[in-house]
Every structure is written in structure tokens, then in C-alpha cells.
Amino acid sequence: MDFFKYKNGELFCEDVPAEKIAREVGTACYVYSKATFLYHYRQIRDAFAPLNPTICYSVKSCGNLNILKFLANEGCGFDVTSGGELFRALQAGGDAKKMIYAGVGKTDQEIADGINAGIAAFNLESEEEIENVDRVAGSIGKKAIGAIRINPDVDPGAKTHAKTTTGKKETKFGVDIERAERVFEQYRNLKNLRIGGVHIHIGSPIYEVEPYVDAVKKMTALIDRLTERGHKIEWFDCGGGFGVNYEKPEQAHPVTDHARALIPLLQGKPYRIAFEPGRYIAGNAGVLLTRVLYRKQGGEKKFVIVDAGMNDLIRPTLYESYHHIWPVKPDEKNLNADRRRDFQVVAGETVDIVGPICESGDYLGRNRSLPNVKRGDLLAVFTAGAYGFAMASNYNNRPRLPEVLVDGSAYKIIRKRETLEDLVALERI
Ligand code: LLP
């Protein structure tokens, strides 16, 4: 579900023509739909309402201050994973009491900043980290609160890329479920750190319901065993990872399916529940607009060279991720080819859509059926809201793109395009 629709032969974001934004802001650029963000946030909130969970939007997926602000206004909490994300979430007016701080490598400074901000909890990933958080809290004369991230050893399903699978045994994340009770026992009486919760995040994106069900069943059994041993478990953070429709409409389960399966397992438990969705809220809320610079032929292959590259959207080359790409104004013959539903391109061609970076891996899509496009045409790369701008870099010394937020019939630049001067500013010493 999103608010990017073709009307009168061209793509609109909510009520604003994409071409208008591209013309006025320049290309390439990221364009977000506020209504889509809110729709998905509210969908998760409502689906899990019987559990009254804390929903902590995963800032890493798309962390623009202006987006965090309207989510915070809706009552959303935040999952942060670095000092930078904590800073952003606080600057956006986020409620520290609804912030959880994850990550395997928190520095002493980051730990102190989290404690001083009054965050709800650290998600703790190893024994050494537990000891360090206790020590840092003591050194600043404060108490810290934490949950232990448990590795429930579940298979996320074949569609989750190896680079984003996290809940299996062989991972740097969390503590193995077999070791969990021992670790709780070992750190029962720390002076400055109270461990009162458990956390999981089994991978991202997850396209099936079963991995969550398996993980939650293992975890509720673990919490029962911990409770029997006298540990007071006050919350269970179920993590994020709900998949979205990158390729076609029914690729991912709506969150209501996850909720239907998980609510019976969690309802009535004497502990609070949290979720950390990022992609489900942000994924379909953003597109990357890019213009065709050139076309060329390489052997049998046709290339469409555009003005966005792997530095702007790295997912295709890093994870072989599919992002649907379609002209903002398709030719008349292809007007009715509903994106993500009908790939029957009429009188089109098969092309690779590539960027300007000096690497063969710099592509946004390969072997794509596309209506014929020419220099100057505008293309939309869909489902680019999560881990799009967030993972952008300045590789090849390309200034990072502007971010634009559409709200109804108005749009606003919420991050300016970086300038050439920005590229060298920190080096003028
Ligand atoms: N919680 C924790 C502890 C996480 O590590 C993550 C994502 C999330 C929540 C949010 O997951 P989401 O709901 O957004 O799927 N760059 C990759 C994804 C890496 C995810 C890292 N952790 C991509 O572009 O697919």
C-alpha cells in the first residue's frame, strides 16, 4: 500500500506530480509520501493493539529528522543503534522513555549518552558489553536498564539475504538461546545495570510468518524458565524485519497476518511487548527519481545510464535486491501497465539501468523490461524509502541527494542536496 499512483499518464506522489518535483528540485532525488509513512505506522499499531505494544521505529531505515518528528508526534518510539541515531531521535523530539538502543559495538561514550538521555533500555548483545554498561553506568553515578538480545536460532526463510539474516546461531548478534539462562544467572546482581527484558531480531526482511512464530514460542518458553528461576522479565522486544512488496503486490504478508499469528502467543503475558519495524513503515513510502542521461549498447546488451548510482541506492548491488523501475511518464502504449501487477511491456525493450559510478556493479536494475526511454526521461525507482538514502555515500565524490517530503498537494525539501563545497568542507584544516 502506498500513495504513489499513476494518474492521467504520469506518476503522482500523493497529489503532486513527480515530474514537477524533479523539475523544481533537480535529479536525482528521494521523494517520500508522509501519508504512506503514517498509514504503515498506524497499521502496525492497530494490528497489534490487543497487545498494546511500544512501537519503536527503526531509525536506521530512514532517519530524516522531519520524518522522525511526525512519527514522534504520532506517539511512535525509536530503535536507535548509534550515538548519531540517538542524537537524531532526541533532536526530533522523540520520547527517550520509548527509545531502545541496540548494536553489538556501543562505545563508552554512546553508552553514557544513552543513560544520560534516559532511554528505556539497552539491548545487550554480549557478556563483555553487559559488564561494560554496568561499569560505565557506575562511572557516571547512574543506573542503566537493559534487555539481553537472544539469538533464537530460527531460519528466516530462503528469501532473506545472508547479509541481513541475524537470528541464526552463527551470527555476531545476541547471546545463543542455550546460553541465555546462564548469562541471566551470571548477571543477576549487577550494581548499576538492571536486566529486565529480552530482545530478538531475527532478520530483515522476513517474508514468512512462521519464523516469528517459532522465535516467539522459543522466547516465551525461555521467559517462563527465567521467571521460574526468579528473574523478573518485564518486557519482550520482538524486533523488526516485516517484509514489504518490492516486486509484486502479494510478495509480503500484511502486518495483520503477523499480528493474527503472534497475538494469541503473547496476549495476557505479564510483560510488555515492543516491536522495531523500519522497512515496513518506510519502504514503500519513498521513491528515487532519476533521469536518463544516455543510452548505449554493449555487445547484445542495452544500457540506460541514469543520474543515480550505487552510491545513492546500494541495495541492488549489495543484496541483489529488486526495485521496480518505471518511467514517470510512460509512453501511451504502456500507460495501462500497472506497476508491480502487469509487467507486459508493450513495444518496449530489455535493458540494464546503470549509474555513473566507475564500477560494473553500479546498477539499479538488470535485464528489465522497460518501455522505450530516451535521454531526459524521468524514471522512478520504487520501494526505496528504507535503506535507500540511509545507506548512501559520497563514493566517486558525488554529493548526496536531496530528500523531499510530500504531504497532500504540497512538498518540502527536508534535506538539501549536498554541494561540492560540502564534499571538501571538513578537509579545509
Ligand atoms: N531491529 C534491529 C535490531 C535491527 O538490526 C533492524 C535492522 C531492525 C530492527 C529493523 O529492521 P526492518 O524492520 O527495517 O527490516 N540494509 C538492509 C537491512 C539491514 C537491516 C539491519 N537491521 C537492507 O537494505 O535490506
Side-chain angles (χ1 to χ4, degrees):
M1 169 64 191
D2 63 61
F3 293 87
F4 294 93
K5 297 276 180 284
Y6 283 88
K7 282 187 272 192
N8 311 324
E10 62 176 308
L11 180 68
F12 278 68
C13 174
E14 302 190 15
D15 299 326
V16 184
E19 180 66 57
K20 174 180 156 77
I21 298 174
R23 215 174 36 241
E24 294 175 3
V25 175
T27 57
C29 63
Y30 275 95
V31 177
Y32 304 113
S33 150
K34 182 174 177 182
T36 311
F37 269 99
L38 290 175
Y39 177 87
H40 287 118
Y41 166 69
R42 290 172 184 157
Q43 196 191 24
I44 297 174
R45 183 195 62 192
D46 295 348
F48 286 107
L51 301 176
N52 192 23
T54 305
I55 295 168
C56 298
Y57 172 67
S58 202
V59 171
K60 67 175 80 76
S61 63
C62 184
N64 186 292
L65 266 189
N66 300 274
I67 291 169
L68 302 187
K69 263 185 205 158
F70 68 70
L71 289 174
N73 282 343
E74 277 279 303
C76 187
F78 296 115
D79 154 42
V80 302
T81 199
S82 68
E85 289 187 359
L86 174 65
F87 179 71
R88 264 177 194 281
L90 292 169
Q91 289 291 309
D95 179 357
K97 292 267 156 307
K98 291 189 202 162
M99 285 183 206
I100 42 184
Y101 197 142
V104 294
K106 304 175 194 82
T107 64
D108 293 4
Q109 185 66 53
E110 288 177 317
I111 294 166
D113 288 348
I115 298 171
N116 284 326
I119 59 161
F122 288 103
N123 284 333
L124 305 158
E125 308 245 7
S126 66
E127 286 93 328
E128 288 198 13
E129 190 200 353
I130 292 172
E131 289 167 23
N132 197 41
V133 171
D134 181 52
R135 186 189 62 77
V136 173
S139 75
I140 57 172
K142 298 219 167 142
K143 300 270 181 249
I145 306 175
I148 297 187
R149 177 164 177 176
I150 309 288
N151 210 329
D153 195 26
V154 295
D155 187 344
K159 286 185 240 157
T160 302
H161 195 278
K163 283 187 184 147
T164 55
T165 295
T166 51
K168 303 256 285 174
K169 242 185 210 168
E170 305 76 15
T171 155
K172 68 174 179 175
F173 299 102
V175 170
D176 293 348
I177 193 154
E178 293 91 12
R179 263 195 12 250
E181 283 155 89
R182 245 183 301 143
V183 173
F184 265 91
E185 214 53 56
Q186 188 177 347
Y187 298 111
R188 189 190 271 276
N189 292 315
L190 291 171
K191 261 174 81 187
N192 311 301
L193 169 62
R194 182 168 65 81
I195 301 178
V198 287
H199 168 234
I200 55 171
H201 172 69
I202 56 178
S204 161
I206 307 278
Y207 281 102
E208 285 145 40
V209 174
E210 290 73 33
Y212 286 108
V213 169
D214 291 351
V216 165
K217 281 186 178 160
K218 283 187 176 185
M219 291 301 292
T220 49
L222 170 69
I223 298 173
D224 289 346
R225 294 197 297 278
L226 289 168
T227 309
E228 272 165 33
R229 284 166 177 254
H231 296 283
K232 193 157 181 279
I233 303 301
E234 294 161 46
W235 72 96
F236 172 19
D237 175 351
C238 300
F242 303 134
V244 296
N245 297 331
Y246 282 101
E247 286 185 50
K248 45 185 185 288
E250 272 87 41
Q251 187 186 5
H253 285 275
V255 72
T256 42
D257 288 357
H258 295 292
R260 205 169 303 125
L262 296 180
I263 289 170
L265 304 177
L266 294 168
Q267 203 161 15
K269 297 287 187 196
Y271 35 86
R272 294 204 327 268
I273 302 296
F275 290 98
E276 305 171 337
R279 187 188 320 262
Y280 197 85
I281 295 174
N284 281 313
V287 301
L288 169 61
L289 296 182
T290 181
R291 268 199 210 280
V292 177
L293 288 173
Y294 306 108
R295 304 179 45 106
K296 72 176 277 187
Q297 187 103 14
E300 291 298 295
K301 240 181 190 333
K302 288 179 181 166
F303 292 98
V304 169
I305 301 166
V306 296
D307 63 4
M310 64 189 271
N311 70 302
D312 302 308
L313 179 65
I314 203 171
R315 303 190 72 257
T317 194
L318 189 60
Y319 312 121
E320 293 301 335
S321 305
Y322 183 99
H323 287 264
H324 184 55
I325 303 175
W326 203 250
V328 162
K329 289 185 179 181
D331 58 64
E332 288 214 340
K333 293 190 202 116
N334 287 291
L335 265 187
N336 297 323
D338 181 2
R339 72 184 175 90
R340 282 176 278 185
R341 212 174 272 282
D342 177 2
F343 292 107
Q344 300 312 309
V345 174
V346 182
E349 54 185 348
T350 300
V351 296
D352 279 13
I353 297 135
V354 302
I357 297 273
C358 304
E359 297 211 24
S360 312
D362 178 24
Y363 52 84
L364 300 176
R366 289 199 293 186
N367 297 318
R368 294 298 179 83
S369 298
L370 207 66
N372 293 312
V373 292
K374 57 180 190 315
R375 177 171 165 82
D377 284 355
L378 188 63
L379 303 181
V381 183
F382 288 91
T383 323
Y387 308 105
F389 183 85
M391 294 177 81
S393 78
N394 291 119
Y395 186 40
N396 274 203
N397 259 267
R398 288 165 50 79
R400 280 184 298 169
L401 304 181
E403 296 180 289
V404 172
L405 182 68
V406 174
D407 182 7
S409 57
Y411 80 82
K412 194 171 146 196
I413 296 173
I414 56 170
R415 190 179 209 274
K416 294 179 195 158
R417 186 184 300 280
E418 284 179 356
T419 63
L420 297 180
E421 179 55 32
D422 290 334
L423 293 175
V424 293
L426 298 176
E427 297 158 34
R428 294 199 189 279
I429 43 180

